[in-house]
Each structure stands twice: as structure tokens, then as C-alpha cells.
Amino acid sequence: KKNKGAIIGLTGQSIFMNIDEFHKNGETKQANNIFIEPGGKGYNQAIACAKLNMDVYYLTAVGNDSYASVCEETMKKYNINTYYIRKEVNTALATIITNSNGDNQVTVYKGANEYLNICDLNKFKPVIEQCDILLAQNEIPYEVLKEAIIFAKEKGLKVIYNPAPAIYDINDIIEYVDVIIPNESEASIIYKDINNIKIDNDLRLIITKGSKGCTFIDKNISKDYSSIKVKSIDTTGAGDVFCSAITSQIVNNKNIDEIINFATIASGLHVQKKYVIDAIPTLEEIEKYKKEL
């Protein structure tokens, strides 16, 4: 049986350019190449979950432009059940600049995504009710995020929350979350001192640390996990793949070691290829890697 996952997120156009070194202030750089594909955290996560054998239901807002159709058609290739709300503005846009070390700088224009509202969410609620798990992040308006998380929790879903980008005060929603997955900078905003985090409820916290792996913390333990050793080509979307891999495993009653090791392999395989969508590994690729260990 495929697990059913509801995801709400940003959909837009991603423009990738590679340069040798990042700009200094006021400097103009020549890009080595350009590549354009659909993207957004929720968009990437939906495709990653689908590639990891989940039955995905995705709510998003797009504009009145041709690129909205491109985004939807791409998702349909992965058999994702899309709920695209059209708004009379432009579809979101992101530019991703990657340097020769594989580090990236991302700038996002929210576009239609900014106009996703509670009315749109209410139409999606019957779909959420039929799912096992909700995956959410901060690229949607806060009132929609909060309402979706509380609703999902009340309906008995597992709630996975990637608090990225770190733009909201999340104190009044974190109590409804089962697993929260920030990176180090996001975790320091939420918890201030990330070296002395105490969890006193059933929340599970996974702090991602890029090439340094991740740290798992719950009310009983704190444990570090290493990343797999790979040559990183492009880190764009690695966090999204990690969150999706956690989501795909969390409802399978796997233990935390199995869940995190699976996600670590998924994100490690991802960074060995350029860009995002085609670089997301399939379940078969991850299982093949595990067998070769």
C-alpha cells in the first residue's frame, strides 16, 4: 500500500546559473550556463515523495501565465494529484546561483503563492482527511500553514514540518507537529542555543547540517548522524529531498536509525547531480545504494 501524503507549497519557475565565485557588492558576473525548470520547496518535496513511492496530493497557487501549465504538466508526469489554484498575478520565480564549490544563493519572488488563502485550503481539507501524513514548509502564507497543520493533527495525520525559510514565529504551531526538520540556522532561530535543546513532549527534532550530517533530538536522546561520503556537485534541493525521504519513511513504522539513514542516502545521492528534479533519486536507486554498502 502506498502511503498518502498531502503537501502544500510554492510552485514556480527556477532559473539556475553557474558562476566560479559569488558576486562582491556591485559586481557583474558572467554565468557559465543557464538551466530552467519548475521548482519551489513544496514542489520539490511533492516530486521527491512521488519518486519515493508515495501517493501525493499537492495544493498550490499559480499565476495566470503559461509557466503555470508547464509546472502542472511536469507534476503529472510523476502521477501527482495536483490542486492548482489560479491567481491573476505571475507564477512564483526563483533564481539559484551556484559557485564552483557547489554552494548556492537563492532569491525567491513569491508571486501567486502569496495569495493562497484559507478558502483555497478549505477546498483541499477533504483531501487532507484521506491522507496519512502532511508535509509543510514556510513558503506558504502563515494563516494557511497554521490552519493546515492544526487541521491535519486533529484528523490524526502525522505532521512533518520543514520551517524554511525562517520567516515566521512558530510558537503557536509547533505543539501540533510530530517531526520538525530545520537546518542549523533555522534551528538557532527557533531554539536560540542549539547545543542545549531540551524536548519535553513527543516532538521529534532533526537538525540538518549539510555535509556534516544531522542531529536527532527527542525527549529521550540526542544523536548525531554522518552524511554519506560523496562529491557534491549541487546542493540545491538537498534539504527538500531529505524532508521528503523522512516523510516517506515515517509512516512505515521504521525506527529512527532506519528513517534517518534512508534520508541521508537520498540527499547524498541527490547532491551528486546538477539541478533538482532529475537529480532526485528514486526508491529503487536508494535501495540499490543500500545493497552496495
Side-chain angles (χ1 to χ4, degrees):
K1 172 181 169 289
K2 282 190 175 184
N3 295 315
K4 290 186 176 181
I7 300 175
I8 307 169
L10 181 148
T11 293
Q13 181 177 15
S14 295
I15 300 175
F16 296 84
M17 286 182 280
N18 286 79
I19 59 178
D20 295 326
E21 295 177 355
F22 289 134
H23 302 69
K24 297 182 180 69
N25 191 31
E27 185 178 23
T28 298
K29 289 270 191 183
Q30 295 289 332
N32 301 326
N33 56 14
I34 186 168
F35 179 79
I36 300 172
E37 70 175 355
K41 295 192 75 64
Y43 193 94
N44 298 340
Q45 290 169 0
I47 289 181
C49 284
K51 281 191 167 189
L52 297 175
N53 208 35
M54 288 185 69
D55 191 6
V56 180
Y57 298 80
Y58 181 59
L59 173 67
T60 192
V62 291
N64 57 1
D65 45 27
S66 60
Y67 206 76
S69 302
V70 173
C71 294
E72 188 168 15
E73 289 307 311
T74 302
M75 274 206 156
K76 284 181 177 175
K77 289 180 192 170
Y78 296 96
N79 298 313
I80 293 167
N81 305 285
T82 55
Y83 295 78
Y84 274 52
I85 311 296
R86 295 267 182 166
K87 305 291 183 180
E88 291 300 312
V89 291
N90 283 78
T91 299
L93 173 70
T95 59
I96 300 98
I97 311 294
T98 305
N99 71 7
S100 56
N101 295 327
D103 299 317
N104 57 65
Q105 295 181 340
V106 183
T107 305
V108 177
Y109 163 68
K110 292 181 185 177
N113 181 76
E114 207 166 1
Y115 299 94
L116 189 71
N117 58 43
I118 296 294
C119 180
D120 302 327
L121 175 63
N122 287 340
K123 293 171 189 169
F124 190 62
K125 281 181 176 177
V127 177
I128 295 175
E129 279 193 75
Q130 302 304 311
C131 291
D132 306 298
I133 197 161
L134 173 74
L135 174 56
Q137 10 54 38
N138 287 349
E139 284 188 338
I140 57 175
Y142 184 75
E143 64 273 12
V144 178
L145 172 71
K146 180 179 177 181
E147 177 78 12
I149 284 176
I150 293 173
F151 178 79
K153 188 66 174 176
E154 287 173 347
K155 294 300 178 182
L157 281 76
K158 289 278 188 191
V159 177
I160 314 297
Y161 176 40
N162 174 213
I167 54 175
Y168 299 138
D169 178 349
I170 63 170
N171 286 328
D172 57 347
I173 57 173
I174 201 165
E175 65 185 280
Y176 301 98
V177 173
D178 293 289
V179 182
I180 184 168
I181 313 174
N183 64 22
E184 288 179 286
S185 64
E186 292 150 5
S188 67
I189 291 170
I190 299 166
Y191 294 102
K192 306 302 185 276
D193 181 3
I194 64 172
N195 296 311
N196 291 290
I197 296 173
K198 298 285 186 290
I199 305 288
D200 55 9
N201 54 20
D202 292 328
L203 178 71
R204 297 201 270 180
L205 166 66
I206 304 171
I207 303 174
T208 59
K209 300 178 176 180
S211 62
K212 300 195 299 286
C214 69
T215 298
F216 171 77
I217 304 171
D218 69 6
K219 62 186 176 185
N220 299 314
I221 65 165
S222 175
K223 183 174 179 180
D224 293 323
Y225 293 82
S226 300
S227 61
I228 63 172
K229 297 294 178 273
V230 296
K231 178 171 172 49
S232 176
I233 302 296
D234 187 348
T235 60
T236 314
D240 298 332
V241 172
F242 185 91
C243 293
S244 303
I246 295 287
T247 301
S248 75
Q249 298 299 294
I250 208 89
V251 286
N252 286 336
N253 297 317
K254 301 280 179 73
N255 66 47
I256 197 64
D257 287 344
E258 292 175 303
I259 291 168
I260 290 182
N261 287 334
F262 180 90
T264 299
I265 292 168
S267 55
L269 294 177
H270 178 75
V271 301
Q272 294 179 81
K273 298 178 182 176
K274 278 189 174 184
Y275 313 123
V276 179
I277 302 302
D278 289 344
I280 297 170
T282 62
L283 181 62
E284 292 73 26
E285 288 171 323
I286 295 168
E287 295 300 337
K288 180 173 180 283
Y289 181 91
K290 285 164 69 176
K291 284 177 185 171
E292 292 169 354
L293 287 176

